[in-house]
């Protein structure tokens, strides 16, 4: 019964200490039926620590909340915000709200997908980039909107995707050939 | 440090003290020599670096040693996002548009130091070409009436003293010191305020139910899970005036007898979460939340609960499940939450905008509120105007304003010279409203009569370059993804509808499948469990009703009139117009255009991916789309 552990989650990962301390601060009473109201905030915290929610983290949380692993996993799979696979270092999110959609967001998405050779929801093999679609960031005046990590690119035009990606390649210390 | 306010009298004293903080902005008779630079901190302006702009102003003020005379600050959303970043200078009330961080210097040196208006940053009305410095003159603001947004674009949302300075928390004080819960509920009923989440159910009656059902604990929940794509009203209120919402919640709690409140807010709005938390902490410190509020023995506290990206959680029973740490699946009603809600206790769930209206009703009286709007829909409604419209922004208009006034006067008409095709209100639950109904007054009844709904306030304008079949498909795709899967009509029915719509946009639809689509769209509303499923077919029903010709063009002629559905498009080069410049061939990503220089070019239809690049590249009008 050996289980493959994700690289992030060896016992020595300091993330667990942080998560443990966070859950301590919530003062969970294992027999109080209302304890579960803090579960979703805990999952948010855990995802901010680990970047995603692998099985080890889920089991850890389930234990501390005295609920089943199935319950935790069920909650995670229900909400779009939680992910059980790691994201790229540079997260490219394309807004697919209605305002962005009528202003051509699907074409912008295609541009990014073509440029990186991955589809929405995937990560490049080197782990540098991932593409996601999201629902309305509320910056409709800038439609179509692309978020790279927390940076907002507004009124993105077709053909701009590669330029935006290049900005981040530079950050990885990669030389971008002049065209 | 702020100390606890023990009673109403101390709150009044505090108001007198704090009034001075906002006098340059809020007092029309102010005649002192101070100046105030207010910068919009709405999401659009912040994305265009308005925070940097404030920093630049602050630096300039410091450099000139004018800290006592000039102040710069950020506020909630001004609304006119299209022209952002926006700056308003008080007391002169000069409104600057499209201000870049580097423009701070000009405004400071010319306007602040020398009292000269910076002409190049003044708004020019596009029709009359007149320059306007007072926002109230602008067509965008002229028809608006700001009640829920009254403090957005006036106060700094992170400073509770500014909210107190505009009379904040006095309505709460009045209610808990001078009224019984029954009296307060009566006032709410007389005001006619209806739920701004979209359904319009009387807020007063909801509270009455909350009061009627007995429970050892009761809860008030603020629904801030604004999931409708293309809508940002609640976000603007939470970011610009969170205290109004908290005050509204506290009044609701007093009326129904609750002592705990929750704000259920989307995790996608980190700035709103932050501002809300700051506001809650500040209110607690002042004793306006917590135990024995204003010495009356009334206890009430508020906590924030984060959503995690599920549209269905905007439905109140699903939202309650989510707060309880479960999958956000709705439960059957009845029992309604007012009877058995959070942890099976009586619970009142109100929308952000509804709650933001509450303090004003107690400040100005229910009669004042009830005279605004129409016979059956009272007050104002906030809309997020977006899509193919010239003035994208956040607007608040009295109920009864017509769609034409909203879209053409305030919104400035359709962008890029396009022709108006439809307005979509109510998001994935609403419908598309065609041109012939532009003179419909905006109220709950009129909008549902024409097959749409008020919804939470998203208003997307579509032009002749939008394909209505594709728009219906877009909303269905959204619903299919967001359906929680609990009931069959929604889980399977919407999926079948999406498949049919996708077929139609690919030219594989038949008249039979079209009839099947219609029948599914009519069955699902009667059979689905919750609001999400019941309203999901609305975008399809309304487009079938008003844009049948577009569906027929797709099905019978295999043609997309708007030129959106790529599978139905077809590009050709007209030999008589082509001069053989090779521009299209060089721009083609799949190299499917052949022809030597100065010879007529030809598109290989087999290889063509219909990207439309050649059409854009050709300067001679030789490439056509069929």
């Amino acid at each position: 019964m050996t289980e493959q552990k994700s690289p992030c989650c060896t016992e020595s990962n300091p993330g667990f200490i942080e998560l443990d301390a966070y859950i301590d601060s919530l003062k969970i009473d294992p027999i109080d039926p209302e304890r579960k109201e803090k579960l979703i905030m805990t999952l948010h915290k855990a995802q901010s620590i680990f970047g995603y929610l692998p099985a080890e983290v889920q089991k850890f949380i389930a234990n501390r909340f005295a609920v089943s692993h199935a319950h935790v996993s069920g909650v995670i799979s229900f909400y779009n915000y939680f992910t059980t696979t790691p994201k790229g270092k540079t997260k490219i999110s394309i807004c697919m709200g209605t305002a962005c959609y009528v202003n051509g967001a699907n074409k912008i998405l295609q541009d990014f997908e073509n440029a990186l050779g991955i589809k929405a929801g995937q990560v490049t093999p080197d782990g540098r980039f991932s593409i996601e679609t999201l629902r309305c960031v509320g910056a409709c005046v800038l439609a179509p909107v692309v978020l790279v990590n927390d940076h907002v690119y507004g009124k993105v035009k077709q053909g701009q995707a590669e330029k935006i990606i290049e900005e981040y390649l530079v950050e990885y210390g990669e030389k971008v050939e002049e065209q | 440090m702020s100390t606890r306010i023990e009673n109403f009298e101390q709150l009044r004293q505090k108001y007198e003290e704090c009034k001075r903080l906002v006098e340059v902005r809020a007092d029309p008779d102010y005649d002192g020599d101070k100046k105030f630079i207010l910068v919009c901190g709405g999401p659009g302006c912040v994305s265009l670096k308005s925070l940097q702009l404030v920093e630049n102003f602050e630096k300039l003020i410091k450099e000139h040693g004018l800290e006592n005379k000039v102040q710069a600050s950020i506020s909630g959303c001004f609304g006119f996002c299209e022209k952002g970043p926006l700056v308003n200078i008080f007391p002169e009330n000069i409104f600057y548009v499209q201000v870049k961080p580097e423009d701070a210097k000009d405004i400071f040196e010319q306007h602040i130091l020398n009292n000269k208006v910076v002409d190049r940053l003044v708004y020019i009305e596009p029709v009359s070409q007149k320059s306007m410095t007072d926002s109230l003159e602008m067509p965008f603001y002229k028809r608006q009436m700001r009640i829920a947004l009254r403090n957005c674009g006036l106060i700094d949302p992170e400073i509770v003293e500014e909210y107190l300075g505009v009379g904040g928390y006095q309505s709460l004080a009045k209610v808990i010191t001078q009224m019984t819960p029954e009296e307060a509920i009566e006032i709410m009923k007389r005001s006619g305020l209806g739920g701004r989440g979209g359904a319009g159910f009387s807020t007063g009656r909801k509270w009455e139910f909350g009061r009627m059902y007995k429970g050892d604990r009761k809860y008030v929940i603020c629904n801030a899970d604004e999931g409708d794509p293309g809508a940002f009203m609640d976000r603007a209120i939470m970011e610009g005036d969170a205290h109004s919402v908290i005050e509204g919640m506290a009044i609701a709690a007093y009326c129904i007898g609750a002592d705990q409140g929750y704000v259920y807010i989307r995790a996608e709005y980190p700035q709103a979460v932050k501002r809300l938390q700051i506001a809650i902490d500040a209110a607690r410190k002042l004793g306006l939340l917590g135990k024995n509020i204003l010495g009356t023995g009334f206890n009430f506290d508020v906590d924030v609960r984060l959503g995690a990206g599920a549209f269905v959680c905007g439905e109140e029973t699903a939202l309650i499940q989510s707060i309880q740490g479960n999958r956000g699946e709705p439960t059957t009603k009845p029992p309604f939450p007012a009877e058995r809600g959070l942890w099976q206790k009586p619970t009142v769930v109100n929308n952000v905008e509804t709650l933001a209206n509450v303090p004003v009703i107690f400040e100005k009286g229910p009669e004042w509120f009830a005279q605004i709007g129409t016979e059956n829909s009272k007050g104002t409604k906030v809309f997020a105007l977006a899509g193919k419209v010239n003035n994208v922004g956040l607007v608040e208009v009295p109920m009864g304003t017509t769609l034409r006034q909203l879209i053409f006067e305030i919104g400035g008409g359709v962008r890029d010279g396009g022709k108006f095709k439809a307005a979509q209100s109510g998001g994935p639950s609403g419908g598309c409203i065609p041109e012939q109904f532009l003179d419909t007054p905006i109220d709950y009844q009129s909008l549902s009569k024409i097959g749409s709904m008020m919804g939470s306030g998203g208003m997307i304008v579509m032009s002749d370059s939008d394909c209505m079949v594709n728009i219906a498909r877009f909303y269905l795709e959204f619903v299919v993804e967001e359906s929680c899967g609990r009931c069959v009509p929604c889980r399977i029915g919407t999926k079948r509808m999406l498949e049919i719509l996708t077929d139609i946009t690919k030219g594989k639809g038949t008249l039979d499948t079209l009839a099947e689509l219609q029948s599914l769209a009519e069955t699902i509303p009667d059979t689905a469990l919750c609001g999400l499923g019941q309203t999901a077919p609305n975008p399809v029903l309304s487009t079938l009703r008003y844009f049948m010709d577009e569906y027929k063009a797709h099905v019978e002629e295999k043609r997309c009139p708007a030129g959106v559905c790529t599978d139905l498009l077809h590009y050709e080069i007209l030999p008589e117009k082509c001069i053989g410049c090779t521009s299209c061939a060089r721009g083609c990503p799949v190299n499917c255009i052949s022809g030597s220089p100065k010879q007529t070019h030809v598109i290989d239809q087999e290889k063509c991916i219909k990207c439309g690049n050649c059409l854009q590249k050709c300067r001679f009008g030789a490439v056509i789309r069929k």
Side-chain angles (χ1 to χ4, degrees):
Chain A
M1 283 270 289
T2 52
E3 205 174 326
Q4 187 78 42
K5 290 207 168 181
S6 339
C8 91
C9 300
T10 49
E11 301 296 318
S12 57
N13 188 321
F16 279 103
I17 300 168
E18 192 183 342
L19 183 60
D20 204 35
Y22 176 78
I23 300 175
D24 275 342
S25 75
L26 299 176
K27 300 195 175 62
I28 308 285
D29 175 358
I31 52 162
D32 179 3
E34 296 184 12
R35 68 188 182 283
K36 279 194 305 184
E37 71 165 16
K38 290 179 177 136
L39 177 62
I40 289 179
M41 1 184 332
T42 308
L43 293 173
H44 274 292
K45 180 76 186 176
Q47 186 158 304
S48 77
I49 295 172
F50 296 98
Y52 67 117
L53 297 168
E56 290 80 4
V57 174
Q58 296 176 24
K59 283 184 203 156
F60 183 86
I61 293 171
N63 247 329
R64 292 294 320 263
F65 271 79
V67 295
S68 67
H69 180 194
H71 180 81
V72 175
S73 163
V75 169
I76 291 171
S77 68
F78 185 82
Y79 297 97
N80 293 330
Y81 202 88
F82 298 132
T83 169
T84 51
T85 49
K87 295 278 169 235
K89 259 189 194 153
T90 305
K91 249 190 355 195
I92 300 172
S93 313
I94 290 103
C95 179
M96 280 287 168
T98 321
C100 287
Y101 186 77
V102 300
N103 282 303
N106 53 338
K107 292 194 176 138
I108 306 296
L109 172 64
Q110 275 171 16
D111 268 12
F112 276 99
E113 289 180 339
N114 291 340
L116 291 171
I118 50 169
K119 293 273 167 208
Q122 295 179 336
V123 189
T124 52
D126 59 8
R128 283 177 178 177
F129 293 96
S130 57
I131 304 180
E132 274 165 76
T133 57
L134 50 80
R135 304 287 187 207
C136 200
V137 289
C140 304
V141 67
L142 299 172
V145 173
V146 173
L147 252 86
V148 182
N149 296 333
D150 288 327
H151 189 87
V152 179
Y153 290 86
K155 302 199 174 174
V156 178
K157 297 196 178 56
Q158 264 184 284
Q160 223 181 307
E162 293 192 1
K163 258 216 171 108
I164 293 175
I165 294 167
E166 275 173 19
E167 285 177 34
Y168 292 85
L169 280 177
V170 173
E171 273 182 27
Y172 289 121
E174 201 157 291
K175 274 194 191 131
V176 180
E177 280 173 44
E178 291 286 325
Q179 289 198 333
Chain B
M1 257 340 275
S2 41
T3 48
R4 203 183 144 86
I5 300 171
E6 301 289 349
N7 52 46
F8 199 174
E9 190 43 44
Q10 285 184 11
L11 181 68
R12 282 204 199 93
Q13 282 167 13
K14 190 88 183 162
Y15 164 64
E16 293 298 331
E17 274 169 44
C18 294
K19 220 162 70 175
R20 269 183 294 133
L21 283 175
V22 290
E23 62 181 358
V24 188
R25 279 166 282 169
D27 180 3
D29 300 323
Y30 175 77
D31 61 353
D33 59 349
K34 284 190 188 158
K35 285 202 191 295
F36 203 97
I37 306 170
L38 199 65
V39 178
C40 177
C45 289
V46 168
S47 306
L48 293 167
K49 302 191 176 135
S50 68
L51 297 178
Q52 178 69 46
L53 181 61
V54 184
E55 271 178 39
N56 289 359
F57 276 124
E58 281 170 346
K59 232 186 272 164
L60 286 161
I61 294 168
K62 224 174 168 186
E63 277 171 26
H64 287 79
L66 288 172
E67 287 96 331
N68 295 326
K69 290 267 182 249
V70 186
Q71 207 186 329
S73 153
I74 199 104
S75 87
C77 184
F78 288 14
F80 203 175
C81 310
E82 187 67 41
K83 294 286 168 196
L86 307 165
V87 173
N88 207 353
I89 301 202
F90 296 96
E92 307 90 301
N93 197 20
I94 303 285
F95 195 82
Y96 289 119
V97 297
Q98 294 177 318
V99 186
K100 295 189 191 69
E102 55 271 23
D103 293 327
K105 196 163 183 279
D106 273 7
I107 293 181
F108 190 82
E109 286 174 358
Q110 286 187 41
H111 188 139
I112 302 294
L113 297 180
N114 294 310
N115 274 320
K116 256 179 59 192
V117 172
V118 184
D119 292 327
R120 69 182 176 88
L121 297 172
V122 167
Y123 176 65
I124 295 174
E125 205 279 312
V127 179
S128 64
Q129 289 294 315
K130 258 173 65 183
S131 52
M132 296 176 175
T133 54
D134 181 356
S135 60
L136 294 177
E137 268 178 61
M138 300 171 190
F140 180 79
Y141 285 106
K142 224 184 212 166
R143 271 196 185 275
Q144 290 199 47
M145 182 174 194
R146 299 188 122 200
I147 297 177
L149 296 174
R150 64 195 176 283
N151 293 325
C152 292
L154 183 70
I155 61 170
D156 183 333
E158 295 190 9
I159 300 178
V160 63
E161 284 78 9
E162 297 206 353
Y163 184 65
L164 294 174
V166 291
Y169 288 106
Q170 301 225 12
S171 294
L172 171 65
K174 201 152 84 181
V175 171
I176 61 175
T177 58
Q178 297 165 3
M179 290 178 199
T180 64
E182 286 77 12
E183 284 167 351
I185 289 174
E186 196 47 41
I187 286 182
M188 286 303 291
K189 277 163 70 181
R190 283 216 316 266
S191 75
L193 175 68
R196 296 292 192 249
F201 186 76
S202 159
T203 308
R205 283 190 56 204
K206 205 180 220 183
W207 291 7
E208 199 171 42
F209 289 132
R211 171 129 206 106
M212 191 176 84
Y213 290 107
K214 301 277 168 271
D216 53 345
R217 275 202 99 173
K218 293 184 184 181
Y219 298 97
V220 171
I221 296 174
C222 168
N223 182 349
D225 190 49
E226 186 172 52
D228 177 357
F232 48 95
M233 303 76 51
D234 293 349
R235 171 178 181 170
I237 296 173
M238 304 295 269
E239 289 186 6
D241 192 17
H243 282 290
S244 276
V245 180
I246 297 171
E247 188 177 354
M249 286 178 80
I251 293 174
Y254 177 75
C255 288
I256 69 161
D259 63 356
Q260 177 65 45
Y262 291 101
V263 181
Y264 184 82
I265 185 168
R266 294 181 77 191
E268 287 88 339
Y269 289 171
Q271 180 74 353
V273 176
K274 186 186 132 207
R275 295 241 169 101
L276 186 68
Q277 197 60 58
I278 290 174
I280 292 172
D281 293 343
R284 273 186 197 144
K285 242 181 217 160
L286 291 171
L288 297 166
L289 284 178
K291 296 256 179 277
N292 193 17
I293 296 170
L294 298 175
T296 58
F298 169 56
N299 308 325
F300 181 63
D301 207 346
V302 175
D303 277 310
V304 177
R305 286 290 175 267
L306 288 186
F311 178 67
V312 69
C313 287
E315 202 279 340
E316 53 185 7
T317 60
L319 185 154
I320 288 169
Q321 286 301 321
S322 182
I323 293 185
Q324 292 179 169
N326 298 326
R327 294 164 67 90
E329 293 173 0
T331 53
T332 33
K333 292 195 274 193
F336 285 89
E339 187 183 350
R340 262 184 279 154
L342 187 62
W343 308 117
Q344 300 293 311
K345 308 285 185 215
T347 303
V348 161
V349 184
N350 283 135
N351 159 273
V352 171
E353 190 187 332
T354 315
L355 290 166
N357 272 299
V358 170
V360 193
I361 291 172
F362 287 96
E363 183 192 331
K364 301 199 173 168
E367 284 71 27
W368 172 84
F369 190 83
Q371 45 110 19
I372 303 162
T374 63
E375 179 68 32
N376 295 311
S377 303
K378 302 298 184 194
T380 56
K381 180 75 195 85
V382 183
F383 287 97
L385 198 56
K388 301 264 175 66
V389 64
N390 275 316
N391 298 336
V392 172
L394 192 71
V395 302
E396 182 170 358
V397 289
M399 297 276 189
T401 305
T402 66
L403 286 163
R404 191 184 298 279
Q405 288 164 338
L406 181 66
I407 295 164
F408 288 87
E409 285 182 34
I410 297 173
V414 178
R415 127 174 331 187
D416 304 329
K419 198 176 160 302
F420 176 85
K421 187 185 260 182
Q424 211 277 355
S425 70
S429 310
C432 295
I433 305 163
E435 198 175 1
Q436 70 254 40
F437 295 114
L438 274 178
D439 292 307
T440 308
I442 297 171
D443 62 49
Y444 294 102
Q445 292 79 11
S446 309
L447 288 179
S448 42
K449 218 183 283 164
I450 56 174
S452 185
M453 68 182 289
M454 177 76 83
S456 61
M459 181 67 75
I460 309 280
V461 177
M462 291 162 195
S463 75
D464 48 3
S465 60
D466 291 308
C467 167
M468 299 317 285
V469 182
N470 186 46
I471 291 293
R473 196 190 59 84
F474 166 79
Y475 280 116
L476 248 296
E477 205 172 55
F478 180 88
V479 170
V480 167
E481 214 170 285
E482 294 296 338
S483 170
C484 75
R486 194 179 160 111
C487 72
V488 176
C490 182
R491 183 178 71 236
I492 299 171
T494 58
K495 179 101 182 151
R496 287 293 95 82
M497 285 174 73
L498 175 63
E499 285 165 4
I500 295 173
L501 280 165
T502 309
D503 275 354
I504 295 176
T505 58
K506 286 188 187 295
K508 292 188 215 147
T510 63
L511 287 174
D512 286 345
T513 53
L514 200 56
E516 203 185 321
L517 181 69
Q518 177 99 40
S519 121
L520 274 170
E522 284 163 5
T523 314
I524 294 172
D526 295 335
T527 47
L529 175 66
C530 81
L532 181 124
Q534 287 159 11
T535 57
N538 278 349
V540 178
L541 283 171
S542 64
T543 47
L544 280 171
R545 190 159 149 198
Y546 301 122
F547 299 96
M548 192 45 137
D549 52 329
E550 280 194 44
Y551 278 92
K552 288 221 163 124
H554 282 75
V555 171
E556 291 176 343
E557 303 164 38
K558 310 291 176 206
R559 185 173 66 85
C560 175
V564 173
C565 302
T566 32
D567 287 310
L568 303 180
L569 297 181
H570 177 78
Y571 291 88
E572 263 176 42
I573 297 174
L574 299 172
E576 63 273 21
K577 284 198 177 165
C578 177
I579 62 150
C581 71
T582 73
S583 168
C584 59
R586 278 181 283 128
C588 178
V590 289
N591 294 321
C592 74
I593 304 179
S594 54
S596 341
K598 297 191 182 155
Q599 300 286 315
T600 300
H601 283 51
V602 183
I603 299 174
D604 181 347
Q605 298 296 342
E606 293 280 293
K607 278 206 234 158
C608 175
I609 56 161
K610 292 153 186 174
C611 68
N613 238 350
C614 47
L615 182 70
Q616 281 173 9
K617 288 269 162 32
C618 183
R619 283 171 291 135
F620 305 96
V623 180
I624 53 159
R625 184 173 66 198
K626 278 191 175 166

